[in-house]
Amino acid sequence: MKTVLSLKLNGRDRDDVVPDNMLLVDYLREMAGLTGTKIGCDGGECGCCTVLVDGDARHACLTLAASCQGSVVETIEVLASDGSLSDLQQGFHEKLGAQCGFCTPGMIMAAEGLLRENSSPSVADIKGALAANICRCTGYIKIIEAVQWAAEQRRKENVA
Ligand code: FES
Ligand code: FES
């Protein structure tokens, strides 16, 4: 069975005919061409595939594309604009939060979901938001510093 999936993907309305059993991660990578979302474990264990669905971090490898009917879906590709990195992307650069980088898109999207809700997260808040994201390079301190750096930029922008 197939479904006409209508959703807003990275700010653009889309309508696609998708198999009912198509995973969101496959829809994003293969149908929408958004390969920034990575597949690591393909089983809900690593967080590489994290995207935002209606603002909430979601494992795209555990989500059926058809379940996103009418939703707002955001991937890592939505963050940079006009060739400029987002604050979180810049934070990962500044603080060396990305090593091999494979986990990074999922980390950044999970952190994006956090910072939209909480612009002054504690270390515990950041660890909680990233608890479902595994970095095999084990550079978690730098990742936390990257999120803190971005949060600070966001607070400064909100004051200015
Ligand atoms: S690829 Fe989805 S959680 Fe690992
Ligand atoms: S930077 Fe290597 S897995 Fe995260």
Side-chain angles (χ1 to χ4, degrees), residues 22-160:
M22 181 175 237
L23 293 169
L24 179 59
V25 71
D26 294 327
Y27 167 76
L28 293 172
R29 291 177 57 85
E30 294 170 17
M31 199 167 273
L34 298 170
T35 54
T37 301
K38 303 302 183 203
I39 302 173
C41 66
D42 204 12
E45 302 284 343
C46 73
C48 281
C49 63
T50 304
V51 298
L52 297 182
V53 178
D54 296 326
D56 295 327
R58 190 87 73 80
H59 286 170
C61 75
L62 293 182
T63 303
L64 288 173
S67 74
C68 296
Q69 188 69 260
S71 291
V72 173
V73 177
E74 295 167 280
T75 70
I76 188 77
E77 285 89 349
V78 81
L79 296 185
S81 64
D82 295 330
S84 297
L85 298 178
S86 76
D87 48 15
L88 270 166
Q89 291 170 317
Q90 190 67 33
F92 273 70
H93 173 68
E94 297 288 338
K95 297 296 179 182
L96 306 178
Q99 295 177 71
C100 79
F102 203 77
C103 68
T104 306
M107 289 280 183
I108 288 178
M109 293 313 288
E112 177 66 29
L114 169 68
L115 293 190
R116 287 186 192 176
E117 297 280 318
N118 178 1
S119 61
S120 299
S122 64
V123 170
D125 292 333
I126 296 170
K127 285 182 177 176
L130 299 182
N133 294 72
I134 294 172
C135 176
R136 293 162 186 78
C137 311
T138 69
Y140 291 106
I141 301 288
K142 297 292 184 190
I143 289 169
I144 291 167
E145 288 176 358
V147 179
Q148 288 175 313
W149 187 93
E152 190 179 340
Q153 305 309 307
R154 215 167 279 205
R155 287 195 298 274
K156 282 182 192 165
E157 272 177 26
N158 288 341
V159 168

